[in-house]
Amino acid sequence: KEILPKAVAAKGLEKAAASSIQSIKAPMVGTFYHSMSEDHPPFVVDGEKITPGQKVGIIETMKIIKDVASNLKGRIVKVSVKNGQSVEYGQELFSVDTSEA
């Protein structure tokens, strides 16, 4: 009978951890870039802490370049797209753990 409450408690912790993971999404359709050019470092990398308003990438469409800024505070846990990859509006670009803000 003790196993059930522990399992329920563990599932509750997993759910709480999962809810602290949020996404930064593409604000438009285009080609996503991690940096300004190949000879520049990426704006952000896995494990890096970010703040709202921080530039995390750029999207280019028809020679128009738009900055992708974070709307979250936390730590990047996953970069979901590759440099030079085509993205759709609303597509996840980064997963951010907001519990580490």
Side-chain angles (χ1 to χ4, degrees):
K1 292 184 181 182
E2 242 180 75
I3 295 172
L4 182 60
K6 286 182 183 177
V8 170
K11 195 169 203 168
L13 288 174
E14 287 174 16
K15 195 176 209 179
S19 67
S20 69
I21 304 295
Q22 296 187 27
S23 298
I24 297 175
K25 298 183 179 187
M28 61 190 265
V29 173
T31 304
F32 180 81
Y33 295 101
H34 290 279
S35 66
M36 288 302 287
S37 66
E38 290 182 16
D39 58 338
H40 284 83
F43 295 111
V44 293
V45 294
D46 281 343
E48 187 171 335
K49 291 195 176 203
I50 59 170
T51 57
Q54 180 178 345
K55 185 190 287 189
V56 294
I58 55 176
I59 294 179
E60 183 265 327
T61 300
M62 298 173 58
K63 305 292 182 193
I64 298 171
I65 296 175
K66 178 164 177 67
D67 291 344
V68 178
S70 171
N71 57 337
L72 304 170
K73 182 177 182 180
R75 183 180 56 84
I76 294 183
V77 292
K78 179 182 173 190
V79 178
S80 303
V81 294
K82 295 179 181 170
N83 194 48
Q85 180 177 333
S86 294
V87 295
E88 297 292 325
Y89 173 78
Q91 179 178 342
E92 179 181 286
L93 303 175
F94 300 93
S95 295
V96 179
D97 186 350
T98 57
S99 70
E100 296 192 26

